[in-house]
Amino acid sequence: MDHLAVANWMFMCVNGGEDGDQPDPPTPVPRPGVPDGDEDGTDGTGTDENGRSTRAEEGAAVSPHALARFFG
């Protein structure tokens, strides 16, 4: 989903008018077990300001509430 959103955004940037405003880049889809970028002070890309991964560890338990929120 994120790759498709970025590809569409790049297409709009490249094919837009030179003097027009460029669209804002897309925000990543929230993942269960990974805090949102605005909640933990990261930029939402899966890494913190030092380049360390903020993604959940392999096999980490995810709460039922987080799964329900992810699948909507």
Side-chain angles (χ1 to χ4, degrees):
M1 181 56 98
D2 291 334
H3 291 278
L4 180 61
V6 169
N8 288 334
W9 171 73
M10 282 194 268
F11 181 83
M12 290 188 322
C13 289
V14 170
N15 292 308
E18 289 184 21
D19 55 350
D21 291 335
Q22 296 294 323
D24 293 332
T27 56
V29 175
R31 299 322 197 257
V34 179
D36 293 337
D38 55 356
E39 291 177 6
D40 64 354
T42 63
D43 57 3
T45 60
T47 58
D48 64 9
E49 62 276 356
N50 297 320
R52 293 181 300 234
S53 176
T54 58
R55 300 201 183 277
E57 297 293 324
E58 286 293 322
V62 178
S63 72
H65 175 68
L67 283 174
R69 189 179 81 191
F70 177 74
F71 287 109

